[in-house]
Amino acid sequence: MRAKIRQWWPFAVLGAVFGGLVVLNMSCHDHWLDSDMAAEMIFSRLLAESGHVFATEEWYYSTEFRFLYTQLVMAPLFRLSQDWHLIRMITNIVTYVLMLASYFYMMKPLKVDRRWVALTGAVLLLPFSETMMTHMQMGNTYMPHVILLFFYLGLFLRLVQKVAYPRWRRWEMAAVYLLLSVICGVSGVRYLLAMQCPLALAALLYLAFSGEWKQFRRQFGTDTGKKSFRQVWKSGRAAYLYCGLLGAGGSLLGYCLNVLWVSRQYVFQTYEATNFIPVYQGILAERVQNALGSLLMLFGYIPDRGFLSLRGFITMLSFVAIALLIYCGAKAYRGSCGQRFFVALFLAVSLGLNLFVFVFTTSTMVPRYYITTLIFALPVFTFYMEGREPAFDRLAVSLLLACCFLMGTAKVTLSYLSADKNQGKRAVAAFLQENGYDFGFATYWNANIMTELTDGAVEIANIGDPEYLEFFKWSSPMRYYEEGYHQGETFLLLTAEQRAEYAGAEALQAGEVVYEDGDYTVYVYESVEELMACAAQRD
């Protein structure tokens, strides 16, 4: 009986965490949703209406072109139901399952005890910070990326193995691996930075650490130099470099397709304006500060809270968690061999490369950007736990990390249940829906989210500001901005702050106030043309 408990309790923990997330999805799925997340629902509905699967030219994308994403689940669901809550909940649950499946798939070649795989899989589902809750477990903006990365690395680890797969099976895996590399490149630079580039660089370093390479260096220029050179490229570690270069090449091909064809067919922001930063006048120090701050916030750091408060305690745990993971990574790096050593090396290279980009370029830097790198700390942690460190050390580290993650999860979950960030929007959303105001304009963060809160009944186009009324064409259907799309009354939705700031704008003077609750004000106009005629002229 004890043996069975010892064998299955990690899977019970995983099931309990999974069940808790399902309950959150059923009861309060939209507490922290925003217009970015709602945009994925609107996009999926558009795909369902137009009969497209992956993409459509009728949509304004944002910062990237997402080829394999949540629309693959949401769009078919929109053909079966118009209940947005149900669609989001099912999509999240499907994504949880796929993420766990891809994680188990990646871990299998590493021969880690399935109990540790189950426990670290549970960590994948723990919302131990606001960033994780918002962008992973509930908002679901990063889980598709995680799924692809796990599956991709799982394919890589199988391709470099010496296991005697049937030839057709190896060719099949190589074809899928190459195809996925191209798709990642088509999606933009995100996957290149998160996987293909660090994977190729780690493979190069892995080969450079090999005995064959060291022997070649010693024999370079001698009669046996050519023979030792051939041995390098016939070695088992060379297979890592071959596969790494194959993946990087496929992704570069995909990125070329992105630049030369996709960017001309679809509208989205490219990265051509990303430059190296000036490294003087405190700019470099500011970038380093922001990189460190973003990392801390991913692990639950809460700014502007009392040092001796509960939030202060959770903040201290973020330092502890990072320190413990660095410790485990260093120990695993030194104590592992073979594929385990390579994965630890890959994590170090990936983190270093991404930190370089965050610090030395003008790229956007936010806590969630670390997710696609630090997910690989989980397998490295399992290497440490199965290593040769003293049993007491491993127990102490695992208990401390469990405390950090569970305390952070408890705090974030409590906040999620008690703090509905969309509470102020619900009343005005209900007013718009009940009174038949089905099309209007608002600034970005008050537009798409209203559509989701009304199950798609109210459509809102984005504007830059209420004075000039210029269109902000970002994460929304193109039809919103086409002349003649909407006939009849239209509205302008403003926050209380916007109403006060733009009180003298012609649009506010010409509109009829039909709703006001202290948080939001709704102005109504006879038509879109009447509202747009109020736009101020720029100098």
Side-chain angles (χ1 to χ4, degrees):
M1 185 64 180
R2 288 183 179 179
K4 288 186 177 180
I5 293 175
R6 195 162 49 247
Q7 181 70 28
W8 293 106
W9 74 266
F11 294 91
V13 171
L14 177 59
V17 175
F18 189 98
L21 284 179
V22 172
V23 172
L24 282 181
N25 274 275
M26 294 174 63
S27 59
C28 50
H29 76 289
D30 58 2
H31 278 195
W32 290 0
L33 295 182
D34 59 29
S35 285
D36 272 347
M37 301 165 198
E40 303 304 329
M41 295 283 286
I42 299 171
F43 174 59
S44 298
R45 184 181 65 169
L46 179 62
L47 289 177
E49 293 172 348
S50 59
H52 293 90
V53 177
F54 297 103
T56 175
E57 298 177 5
E58 302 169 5
W59 178 260
Y60 286 113
Y61 293 81
S62 55
T63 57
E64 59 189 342
F65 176 77
R66 295 168 177 171
F67 191 75
L68 299 178
Y69 204 60
T70 53
Q71 79 271 16
L72 297 181
V73 180
M74 287 181 175
L77 291 175
F78 267 111
R79 297 187 178 98
L80 303 175
S81 173
Q82 293 301 310
D83 185 334
W84 288 45
H85 178 188
L86 179 64
I87 291 172
R88 180 173 287 281
M89 182 179 70
I90 293 176
T91 301
N92 283 354
I93 293 172
V94 169
T95 313
Y96 300 151
V97 173
L98 291 176
M99 183 168 64
L100 290 174
S102 64
Y103 181 63
F104 274 76
Y105 177 80
M106 180 192 70
M107 295 295 286
K108 187 175 181 179
L110 299 171
K111 296 180 172 57
V112 175
D113 190 317
R114 289 176 65 86
R115 291 174 296 180
W116 283 115
V117 180
L119 285 174
T120 50
V123 174
L124 273 175
L125 299 179
L126 286 180
F128 51 82
S129 68
E130 286 201 11
T131 298
M132 293 296 289
M133 178 72 89
T134 302
H135 296 284
M136 284 284 285
Q137 286 78 21
M138 299 306 292
N140 198 357
T141 59
Y142 265 66
M143 282 195 292
H145 301 318
V146 171
I147 292 168
L148 285 177
L149 293 175
F150 282 157
F151 182 68
Y152 188 92
L153 186 57
L155 277 173
F156 176 90
L157 294 175
R158 284 165 172 78
L159 286 172
V160 299
Q161 278 183 328
K162 293 184 178 180
V163 176
Y165 288 112
R167 179 173 295 182
W168 66 269
R169 177 62 174 163
R170 189 170 289 277
W171 279 105
E172 181 183 67
M173 289 191 297
V176 174
Y177 175 78
L178 182 59
L179 177 61
L180 195 56
S181 300
V182 174
I183 290 173
C184 287
V186 168
S187 300
V189 299
R190 179 188 301 276
Y191 294 106
L192 278 166
L193 286 175
M195 178 57 69
Q196 283 79 30
C197 287
L199 193 63
L201 182 56
L204 180 62
L205 292 175
Y206 190 51
L207 180 61
F209 294 157
S210 68
E212 292 87 354
W213 180 257
K214 292 177 182 177
Q215 182 179 356
F216 165 71
R217 289 171 57 200
R218 289 192 299 266
Q219 297 178 352
F220 179 75
T222 67
D223 293 339
T224 58
K226 291 183 178 180
K227 181 179 179 181
S228 62
F229 184 73
R230 287 194 296 270
Q231 289 176 343
V232 169
W233 298 108
K234 291 180 179 180
S235 66
R237 294 196 179 192
Y240 287 77
L241 184 58
Y242 298 148
C243 289
L245 292 176
L246 177 65
S251 289
L252 287 174
L253 173 61
Y255 187 66
C256 289
L257 291 174
N258 177 285
V259 173
L260 299 176
W261 183 71
V262 175
S263 63
R264 298 181 182 181
Q265 299 295 317
Y266 306 96
V267 181
F268 58 92
Q269 177 181 312
T270 62
Y271 292 87
E272 296 173 355
T274 300
N275 303 318
F276 280 102
I277 63 167
V279 291
Y280 45 78
Q281 297 179 345
I283 296 175
L284 177 58
E286 181 182 349
R287 296 292 295 185
V288 172
Q289 173 185 319
N290 290 341
L292 177 60
S294 295
L295 179 61
L296 285 168
M297 292 188 71
L298 175 64
F299 282 90
Y301 184 96
I302 306 174
D304 302 322
R305 291 296 182 267
F307 178 74
L308 298 178
S309 66
L310 174 60
R311 292 181 175 87
F313 177 68
I314 299 299
T315 293
M316 290 302 299
L317 291 180
S318 67
F319 289 92
V320 175
I322 293 173
L324 289 172
L325 288 175
I326 292 174
Y327 171 80
C328 293
K331 290 292 186 178
Y333 179 83
R334 294 178 59 185
S336 300
C337 60
Q339 289 197 330
R340 292 190 177 192
F341 173 80
F342 178 79
V343 172
L345 176 64
F346 166 69
L347 172 62
V349 170
S350 179
L351 184 58
L353 177 62
N354 281 272
L355 280 173
F356 176 83
V357 172
F358 292 158
V359 172
F360 288 100
T361 74
T362 58
S363 63
T364 304
M365 190 189 318
V366 289
R368 64 181 181 270
Y369 284 3
Y370 281 104
I371 292 175
T372 52
T373 295
L374 292 179
I375 51 174
F376 297 105
L378 293 176
V380 173
F381 169 73
T382 66
F383 305 158
Y384 168 78
M385 295 304 298
E386 292 191 344
R388 298 179 180 178
E389 298 302 314
F392 175 82
D393 292 4
R394 287 181 282 141
L395 177 62
V397 167
S398 61
L399 290 178
L400 279 173
L401 269 177
C403 177
C404 292
F405 288 135
L406 291 176
M407 290 292 293
T409 298
K411 165 62 183 67
V412 172
T413 303
L414 180 62
S415 297
Y416 189 82
L417 291 171
S418 59
D420 183 356
K421 297 181 181 180
N422 289 315
Q423 183 61 43
K425 296 181 175 68
R426 297 186 191 281
V428 64
F431 168 83
L432 293 171
Q433 183 174 5
E434 292 168 1
N435 288 274
Y437 296 117
D438 57 355
F439 186 79
F441 296 84
T443 50
Y444 180 76
W445 294 110
N446 295 306
N448 290 339
I449 183 61
M450 294 292 181
T451 302
E452 177 156 356
L453 292 177
T454 59
D455 269 5
V458 178
E459 297 180 322
I460 304 183
N462 306 320
I463 56 170
D465 67 62
E467 182 176 5
Y468 295 103
L469 297 174
E470 76 279 10
F471 295 145
F472 180 63
K473 299 175 180 178
W474 183 280
S475 293
S476 55
M478 290 185 176
R479 65 192 184 197
Y480 286 1
Y481 311 97
E482 295 173 355
E483 185 176 352
Y485 169 65
H486 178 74
Q487 302 296 324
E489 288 186 325
T490 190
F491 64 86
L492 176 64
L493 172 67
L494 300 180
T495 64
E497 293 79 8
Q498 290 169 340
R499 180 182 183 182
E501 181 179 356
Y502 298 100
E506 185 178 346
L508 276 66
Q509 304 297 322
E512 176 189 358
V513 176
V514 296
Y515 178 87
E516 183 179 7
D517 64 5
D519 292 323
Y520 292 93
T521 302
V522 176
Y523 297 83
V524 170
Y525 308 83
E526 290 185 1
S527 64
V528 173
E529 290 74 21
E530 180 188 6
L531 171 59
M532 290 302 146
C534 301
Q537 299 298 315
R538 291 187 180 274
D539 295 333

